[in-house]
Amino acid sequence: MLNIAETLLHWCRVGRPFALATVVDVHGSAPLPIGTSVAVDADGNAAGSISGGCVEGAIYDMCRQVLGEGGPPRRAWFGYSDDDAFAVGLTCGGELDVLVQAVNPALEPHITAALEEAVQGRPVAVAHIVDGPPGLLGRTLSVRGDGHVDSAIPVHGPTDAVVEEALALLQAGQTARVALGGSGQGCPQPLSVLVHVHASRPRMLVFGAVDFASALSRAGAFLGYRVTVCDARPVFATAARFPFADEVVVDWPHRYLEHTQVDARTVVCVLTHDAKFDIPLLRLALDLPVGYIGAMGSRRTHDERLRLLRDKCVSEEQLARLCSPIGLDLGARTPEETAVSITAEIIARTNRGSGLPLSQGSGPIHRTVPERSPSRVS
């Protein structure tokens, strides 16, 4: 639902009921991931898309019906139709499981508060029960970045277990479906909970105030990263040279990295290819829980860099995390092409992609996201 947060927030503020259709499961190739929603209000206004167009008409009609008739949430399944190319189905060959429900903002004020957090760019998670007992199906619970919880789940329900999973996924910045229930999980009945996450922007730390950094900061901002450019040389590290960066820092790279906040979604791009900057920086970065570490330089520079890092007692396991020379082999030459090469590698690493042309692969283009195991079983 957070993909259409601005529209839903407007409807909630004016007290306008709406029907919400949410993708709760995907098999095979599908154009949009789980958690994507379409909403339709009482006047027939629609927002969002769940399939790129091929099942929108059927979903729209179902939303109008659910909103007009009321009643409990309903399920719809859409797959590819071989017999009739014009039948309702997914021409991409995938399968979608969709939950459609009516939402009355007056009865669920916590949804308005959660949407407000998302629209303002603050982290929030909305846990949505998509499988389970009829009395709980469609119920929601929201968790803000500061840990505050609002819920439409009954007090006797599995609130603690759902909150725990929502917090874990919010910290990971990941929307996912979680299976709960059974002995030791604080939830006696089996449930499946889809946790919609609006996380703070992941960080891209670019070290080296060079022309490549300017192009990379622009590409990183386009991909949604909060970009920091850092260099120890004040004459080069200026906001005027890097207008797409969120901040430009004048400091020794390793000293800045030592004191800034990073997490598993942070990417570190070292573009200086100067040993006096690179070695202390990479020695520290390779010991941090960041998602990607890449360093620019020729293959000769890379070999020398590895030798110097080994001299500093950096382990082979740590060195295996280093993407160097940085980027995918796209034949890039200009700073802009190099930025595409680097960000392509970041995307591939983040999503466990092969980096190969799709024409050389087989099977579904979009990977099915497995249901997540609970974060804790006591």
Side-chain angles (χ1 to χ4, degrees):
M1 67 178 71
L2 300 181
N3 63 300
I4 48 174
E6 290 189 9
T7 298
L8 295 186
L9 178 60
H10 171 69
W11 291 352
C12 286
R13 282 174 171 170
V14 298
R16 184 181 303 171
F18 55 90
L20 185 71
T22 303
V23 177
V24 298
D25 204 0
V26 172
H27 296 281
S29 294
L32 295 167
I34 62 170
T36 307
S37 296
V38 165
V40 179
D41 70 3
D43 295 329
N45 299 305
S49 172
I50 63 171
S51 69
C54 44
V55 303
E56 308 302 340
I59 287 293
Y60 179 84
D61 292 340
M62 194 170 182
C63 284
R64 293 297 301 270
Q65 185 177 18
V66 167
L67 193 58
E69 298 177 359
R74 304 179 189 179
R75 299 299 277 268
W77 178 89
F78 298 96
Y80 180 70
S81 171
D82 288 314
D83 297 329
D84 184 355
F86 296 99
V88 174
L90 291 169
T91 55
C92 56
E95 300 173 358
L96 294 181
D97 188 4
V98 181
L99 180 69
V100 184
Q101 65 189 94
V103 177
N104 186 339
L107 301 179
E108 300 185 65
H110 75 282
I111 291 182
T112 304
L115 293 169
E116 178 75 40
E117 292 293 296
V119 169
Q120 294 299 320
R122 294 186 288 265
V124 66
V126 178
H128 189 187
I129 297 178
V130 298
D131 267 318
L136 293 178
L137 189 63
R139 296 293 187 99
T140 56
L141 172 154
S142 61
V143 181
R144 296 194 317 222
D146 61 5
H148 179 79
V149 177
D150 285 315
S151 178
I153 298 174
V155 293
H156 61 275
T159 303
D160 290 345
V162 176
V163 168
E164 183 178 353
E165 297 306 323
L167 282 170
L169 286 165
L170 183 58
Q171 292 171 0
Q174 177 186 3
T175 292
R177 182 168 164 169
V178 184
L180 294 175
S183 175
Q185 293 184 15
C187 177
Q189 294 179 293
L191 295 176
S192 188
V193 181
L194 175 58
V195 182
H196 310 253
V197 169
H198 180 277
S200 55
R201 287 191 295 161
R203 300 193 68 189
M204 174 180 281
L205 306 181
V206 181
F207 294 99
V210 297
D211 288 346
F212 292 101
S214 178
L216 182 57
S217 65
R218 183 173 188 176
F222 175 74
L223 291 175
Y225 284 94
R226 181 163 64 90
V227 180
T228 298
V229 175
C230 176
D231 196 298
R233 304 166 297 175
V235 67
F236 296 112
T238 65
R241 293 190 67 223
F242 302 98
F244 295 98
D246 293 275
E247 60 178 350
V248 180
V249 176
V250 178
D251 201 350
W252 277 79
H254 72 281
R255 187 166 59 190
Y256 174 77
L257 182 60
E258 186 176 13
H259 294 100
T260 196
Q261 290 187 336
V262 298
D263 59 27
R265 298 183 300 143
T266 301
V267 302
V268 175
C269 302
V270 181
L271 308 185
T272 48
H273 49 83
D274 185 330
K276 68 176 178 290
F277 295 118
D278 290 3
I279 301 307
L281 172 62
L282 288 171
R283 184 184 180 188
L284 173 60
L286 290 168
D287 200 36
L288 294 175
V290 297
Y292 171 89
I293 304 167
M296 179 174 279
S298 66
R299 298 195 186 281
R300 178 178 296 179
T301 298
H302 169 67
D303 291 340
E304 176 65 10
R305 181 183 290 140
L306 291 181
R307 184 188 69 79
L308 293 172
L309 288 170
R310 290 188 178 104
D311 288 345
K312 296 294 183 179
C313 299
V314 177
S315 71
E316 295 303 315
E317 182 180 5
Q318 290 174 303
L319 291 175
R321 300 179 59 205
L322 177 60
C323 297
S324 174
I326 196 170
L328 297 184
D329 181 9
L330 304 182
R333 293 188 178 275
T334 67
E336 292 74 20
E337 290 174 344
T338 302
V340 171
S341 167
I342 295 170
T343 52
E345 183 174 55
I346 292 171
I347 293 169
R349 287 278 178 141
T350 300
N351 299 318
R352 296 183 175 89
S354 67
L356 296 173
L358 290 172
S359 61
Q360 293 183 13
S362 61
I365 294 174
H366 302 284
R367 292 170 174 79
T368 299
V369 179
E371 195 165 67
R372 183 178 182 270
S373 299
S375 60
R376 175 181 61 84
V377 178
S378 56

